[in-house]
Amino acid sequence: MGKEVIQPSNVRFIGSDPMFLDSIKIDFETYKAKAKMGKLGELPKTAELIERISAIRKALLEFGATELEIDLSNRLPDNDQIHLLSPVQFQYETEMREGIGGVSNIPGEIIIKNRLYVGNILYAISHELVHTVSYKSIHATELKMDFVRWGYSTHQTDSKTIFDLVDEAVTEMTNYEIASNYWPKQDLLNTDNILSKVEYHFRPSVILFDEIIKKVASVKGWKYKTVWRELQKGNFLGESKGLKMITQVFGKERMKKLADWRENSAKSAVVMAMNLANDKNELEWAEKIGVKILKGEYQINNIPIMGDIIKQV
């Protein structure tokens, strides 16, 4: 018999007031409808790009079913929810800093910056699709929204967002795994060594989080793949086992620092690595990671950072 694949709901609405939850659901559907509306200055998607987006969808779905036994099809946005904008219009629409190739939101709208190299466009679309199919829950009590969870990122209405960069690291590492292992199975994505020139996302966060996974696996005596898959399942199903593994190794205080980490820069990642160190041996561990981060050691062809995923998964 084959694996039993589960199909989770798109969004969970959690609260004690059914009428208020119904009003939130209506608002959500309204925003979802707006996500399909064209953007000012939106560029037309070519027939080839649309076909390649379909190939990216297939790769993502195959990954979910094969590796995690999850059917993510009901979470995928429609093509008209993916908007391609010029760099100037992208900056205006999103108010995002340079270096970001795309953004998405909970209703499923994806905005992508047009780039000269089509591989960067495709990779950014894939990254945002991983976000879009991640776990989503909206929590409300006493006629107000308390917090929204999307993947690992938790937006607390009255305070702050936590686990933002943990979420981005898991998303980007998952995206890289899909692109490396499942894009080659799609003819439209297996051309011109497409990944060799791609600009990868959230490098400092990925480098540090990859080392955190290695540390947890080493301390627990588990394979890297065991920890990694639990973290991915948490991202797609809302489970907490993966984060609990990290907490067991680093402790609650250091986990809180990781949760509050929000600046994706080499300097910030080095400081976070040092904050995770608790004794002399861990300080040496953190210093080695700091050197790796500052060198920008993310050469995908040689796979020094993502090697554990490719070799063991």
Side-chain angles (χ1 to χ4, degrees), residues 66-224:
T66 304
E67 306 296 348
L68 304 176
E69 301 174 28
I70 304 173
D71 177 0
L72 298 167
S73 58
N74 68 327
R75 293 180 176 177
L76 279 173
D78 298 329
N79 266 345
D80 54 6
Q81 290 174 247
I82 301 174
H83 308 283
L84 183 65
L85 302 182
S86 70
V88 172
Q89 195 62 35
F90 177 86
Q91 189 77 11
Y92 171 78
E93 186 75 30
T94 64
E95 298 182 352
M96 296 295 285
R97 63 189 183 277
E98 287 295 319
I100 299 297
V103 295
S104 51
N105 60 28
I106 285 183
E109 181 180 65
I110 294 176
I111 301 176
I112 299 296
K113 178 167 63 176
N114 194 31
R115 312 286 288 279
L116 289 175
Y117 177 51
V118 70
N120 285 327
I121 297 174
L122 298 175
Y123 194 76
I125 290 172
S126 184
H127 178 99
E128 298 307 326
L129 283 174
V130 174
H131 274 308
T132 305
V133 300
S134 295
Y135 176 80
K136 305 182 189 81
S137 60
I138 297 175
H139 301 249
T141 56
E142 298 180 0
L143 300 182
K144 71 181 182 72
M145 294 256 289
D146 284 341
F147 66 92
V148 175
R149 179 174 167 183
W150 186 9
Y152 279 115
S153 184
T154 302
H155 307 264
Q156 298 170 316
T157 306
D158 297 331
S159 53
K160 60 185 178 181
T161 300
I162 58 174
F163 289 118
D164 226 10
L165 283 185
V166 169
D167 179 72
E168 289 294 356
V170 172
T171 297
E172 175 61 3
M173 292 168 73
T174 298
N175 191 37
Y176 176 67
E177 181 182 349
I178 294 169
S180 297
N181 293 348
Y182 287 88
W183 281 23
K185 299 179 182 182
Q186 302 292 327
D187 291 341
L188 290 172
L189 302 176
N190 189 23
T191 58
D192 303 324
N193 198 15
I194 198 168
L195 291 178
S196 64
K197 296 178 283 185
V198 161
E199 295 177 10
Y200 295 93
H201 306 161
F202 296 95
R203 296 183 181 189
S205 306
V206 165
I207 292 170
L208 176 55
F209 202 68
D210 181 67
E211 294 295 336
I212 289 172
I213 296 173
K214 291 176 184 175
K215 177 81 170 177
V216 172
S218 174
V219 171
K220 290 290 189 179
W222 297 330
K223 291 182 178 180
Y224 183 105

Side-chain angles (χ1 to χ4, degrees), residues 14-26:
I14 302 171
S16 56
D17 188 325
M19 290 183 65
F20 184 55
L21 285 180
D22 286 342
S23 71
I24 293 176
K25 292 176 184 177
I26 292 171

Side-chain angles (χ1 to χ4, degrees), residues 165 204-205 207-208 212 250 253-254 257-258 260-278 282-283 285-294:
L165 283 185
S205 306
I207 292 170
L208 176 55
I212 289 172
F250 288 95
E253 288 301 314
R254 287 183 285 174
K257 292 178 181 178
L258 189 63
D260 291 337
W261 179 39
R262 297 193 63 189
E263 182 186 340
N264 180 58
S265 67
K267 180 179 178 180
S268 175
V270 171
V271 171
M272 178 52 59
M274 302 301 285
N275 284 338
L276 292 176
N278 203 34
E282 288 188 347
L283 188 60
W285 169 80
E287 287 173 346
K288 289 178 181 178
I289 296 173
V291 170
K292 188 176 289 189
I293 292 169
L294 293 174

